Amino acid sequence: MRRALITLVVAGAVSGIAVSASSAPPQRATERFGLRVAAFQRSAIVAAGETVLLVARTKTSGCDLGARPDRRCSPGAYYAKLTKRIICSASFRTGDYRNVPSSEKHAVEVEYGLAPKSYGSALEIDHIVSLELGGSNDIANLFPEEANAHPGYRAKDRLENRLHDLVCSGATSLGAARAGIAADWEALYRKVFGTAPTG
């Protein structure tokens, strides 16, 4: 009798796992209590919505290359549905929304007078309004940022992370963070950190 009960309990556990597995695809599997238990993917990512430009894009060639984007070519843009509630949720991951193919990166390089090629760590095609702030992958939100631009992209990365924290804590609004980083990220860096950006 005892052996029969154990068999039923184990069968029920396996049955429960099978039911759970049918509602979400497995991401990886682990061993627990001698059973192979599936770990499931988190809920589906939220649709990003349409791209919203902060200001109109008025130029598509001869853009000025520097530490800051040429706003005539790269005014900054964000996704309409990536609201504060979404970007501040525990499940939000920028990797779910990052989608800039090589062809788009090369198009940005050409607009800024660069040869369309890979530059390794010397240069990156950066989001003006960062993905952490719901930034779009549209070309209007991309510009070539050099590592040694003084300041370079590493300094801007620090600002992007801090702005996300400030938005989620309620210290600043998402709209203000987006507008500020697009208009003059170096000035915003000084305001946020109290010192000039370096690195």
Side-chain angles (χ1 to χ4, degrees), residues 164-179:
H164 182 265
D165 292 342
L166 292 173
V167 167
C168 294
S169 70
T172 190
S173 72
L174 180 55
R178 287 169 170 168

Side-chain angles (χ1 to χ4, degrees), residues 95-116:
D96 291 335
Y97 299 94
R98 186 185 304 277
N99 181 23
V100 182
S102 295
S103 58
E104 188 175 19
K105 292 179 181 180
H106 293 335
V108 174
E109 291 159 357
V110 169
E111 288 190 356
Y112 277 82
L114 297 168

Side-chain angles (χ1 to χ4, degrees), residues 66 70 87 95 97 109 116 121 123 142 169 187 193 195:
D70 185 334
I87 69 165
Y97 299 94
E109 291 159 357
S121 61
L123 178 144
L142 302 172
S169 70
F193 290 103
T195 185

